[in-house]
Amino acid sequence: MSALRRSTGPATMTTGLLLVLALLSATGPFATDLYLPSFPQMADELGATATGIQLTLTAFLIGMAAGQLFFGPFSDRYGRFRPLLIGSLLFVLASVVCAVAPNLPVLIAGRLFQGLFASAGVVIARAVVADLTSGQSAARTFSLLMTIGGVAPVLAPTVGGILAGSIGWRGVLWVLAGLAAAMLAGVAGVVRETRPPEKRSSGPFLGGLAAVLRRRRFVGYAVLFASTFGVLMGYISASPFIYQNLMGLSPAGYGAAFGINALGLVLAGFISARLARTVPPRRTVRIAVPVLLGVSAVLLVMILLDVPPLLLAVPIFLAASSVGFIMGNTTSLALAEAGFAAGSGSAVLGSGQFFFGALVSPLTGIAGEDTALPLALVMCGSALVAVLALLATRSPDQPDGERRRLARGA
């Protein structure tokens, strides 16, 4: 029990802790998509329909969204370390259940609990960063974590396809169990308590959620964060059809194009982290969000003008890269507004992200597999919501002290 109460002095943001937080941020999103190429194998072996197998993904996403709404307030009340350690341990157990599941109902239940407990790492990692950093330092750290978390679901299907061909779908799920175990080891060995007892909430369990949702600027940043992720998820869900059916690329060519866009996202995230040393995060977001809307609109116009499909790759690349400048900085800005309840604020960000992504992803395929028009409309709509959310965070009537704080990038 002593490990569950670890507190050996003030915690600081070390390189080791940053690496563990990066693993926590990536493991849940990676677990979302790693096994997608294994769906046909799973359906054959378990005697299930494609719809039944897809329920395993739906269950995981529901678990991830709901789990963050629990673990965020839980960590505000009981500290970061204990909930994180418990969630990581249960994530390992749920991953093992998935790997040995004898039938589809057990696998669906296992994936639900896998998502529920994987969410602890995602939501508490953000809260730990908010505890230890602020302003431009927080923006740098969040840009790195959000880049890793954003790239994980982009690269996961490629890695999963390679693994599925050699070790099968159960082997892929055992790999996820191994990642969960690595996450548990990192938490137990590196993470220290970052929310001392005197800063923990003592009111109603969901009081932190209610409090942050009453803060207009926080809600604006949360909507901005979710809608930006909606652009990324719309691209991910439509990309196989856009690049292969419309552009005529082979599976290998699609993988290469997908990798180029992922590289753009990664580079943008790292550039954003570097810029945060001198540029306030809100200033970066104020530039990147209109760019995201602009390139989404260019994509829509190009489709309406019926340009050669290969040219569509340019605005798609620019949109994916723009996301890398927005999500980390927006996380920093949002949690600065919810600093009194960073766990609850992180929960709202994460749940909104998954709910919005789940909402827009099916819309990109409503007109069939041979048109990119739904994708462009989804991207434009999501980017427009992002612009409106950014406008809603303006506070011209802030007192002088608040204006100075915002000018420093908090």
Side-chain angles (χ1 to χ4, degrees):
M1 294 295 296
S2 61
L4 294 179
R5 297 190 295 269
R6 175 191 300 181
S7 182
T8 57
T12 58
M13 182 60 71
T14 64
T15 301
L17 178 58
L18 182 59
L19 291 175
V20 171
L21 295 179
L23 178 62
L24 295 177
S25 299
T27 300
F30 204 72
T32 305
D33 295 342
L34 184 68
Y35 79 134
L36 296 185
S38 303
F39 273 15
Q41 295 179 17
M42 296 167 65
D44 290 341
E45 184 170 330
L46 296 175
T49 63
T51 301
I53 295 298
Q54 287 170 340
L55 285 176
T56 64
L57 178 59
T58 301
F60 183 87
L61 293 174
I62 291 173
M64 281 287 290
Q68 292 186 69
L69 291 176
F70 171 78
F71 278 107
F74 193 65
S75 73
D76 282 339
R77 178 181 289 266
Y78 297 105
R80 311 302 186 203
F81 181 71
R82 280 191 297 174
L84 184 54
L85 188 65
I86 293 170
S88 300
L89 175 60
L90 294 176
F91 179 34
V92 174
L93 297 178
S95 298
V96 172
V97 169
C98 291
V100 301
N103 52 50
L104 183 61
V106 173
L107 181 58
I108 292 174
R111 286 287 286 174
L112 175 65
F113 284 103
Q114 193 181 39
L116 184 69
F117 298 126
S119 70
V122 176
V123 70
I124 297 178
R126 287 193 294 258
V128 168
V129 174
D131 290 339
L132 299 181
T133 63
S134 62
Q136 290 164 316
S137 175
R140 290 196 304 272
T141 306
F142 280 124
S143 290
L144 294 174
L145 294 187
M146 292 302 103
T147 298
I148 294 169
V151 169
V154 175
L155 296 182
T158 302
V159 177
I162 296 172
L163 293 175
S166 56
I167 60 178
W169 69 271
R170 290 191 186 274
V172 171
L173 294 182
W174 276 115
V175 168
L176 285 180
L179 287 175
M183 172 175 150
L184 174 61
V187 170
V190 177
V191 177
R192 296 164 63 181
E193 184 56 67
T194 61
R195 190 173 178 86
E198 63 271 16
K199 292 187 177 181
R200 296 175 190 175
S201 60
S202 57
F205 182 73
L206 298 181
L209 290 176
V212 297
L213 289 174
R214 286 195 295 266
R215 297 178 71 94
R216 178 176 61 85
R217 286 172 60 84
F218 171 82
V219 172
Y221 286 129
V223 173
L224 171 57
F225 182 84
S227 55
T228 300
F229 184 74
V231 173
L232 183 64
M233 281 303 297
Y235 150 69
I236 291 174
S237 60
S239 61
F241 308 112
I242 301 299
Y243 283 96
Q244 295 182 80
N245 291 16
L246 277 184
M247 299 184 187
L249 300 183
S250 65
Y254 163 63
F258 207 82
I260 290 172
N261 292 336
L263 180 62
L265 178 63
V266 170
L267 289 177
F270 281 114
I271 292 171
S272 178
R274 297 285 293 181
L275 285 175
R277 298 178 183 274
T278 54
V279 180
R282 182 172 171 84
R283 186 179 303 169
T284 301
V285 171
R286 287 174 57 190
I287 296 172
V289 171
V291 169
L292 179 62
L293 177 60
V295 296
S296 300
V298 168
L299 175 65
L300 176 60
V301 171
M302 292 173 69
I303 292 169
L304 294 176
L305 294 178
D306 199 24
V307 302
L310 278 174
L311 295 179
L312 303 181
V314 176
I316 290 176
F317 171 82
L318 294 175
S321 299
S322 299
V323 169
F325 287 101
I326 298 171
M327 296 195 68
N329 288 303
T330 302
T331 301
S332 172
L333 293 165
L335 294 187
E337 297 293 331
F340 61 94
S344 297
S346 178
V348 173
L349 286 180
S351 296
Q353 168 188 4
F354 277 91
F355 280 127
F356 200 92
L359 173 67
V360 304
S361 294
L363 299 179
T364 61
I366 59 176
E369 303 176 0
D370 298 314
T371 175
L373 183 60
L375 170 62
L377 292 173
V378 164
M379 290 175 61
C380 285
S382 298
L384 180 60
V385 171
V387 169
L388 295 176
L390 179 62
L391 293 176
T393 63
R394 292 189 303 179
S395 298
D397 56 345
Q398 289 289 334
D400 290 343
E402 178 70 2
R403 282 200 297 269
R404 286 195 296 270
R405 183 178 70 83
L406 294 175
R408 292 195 301 269

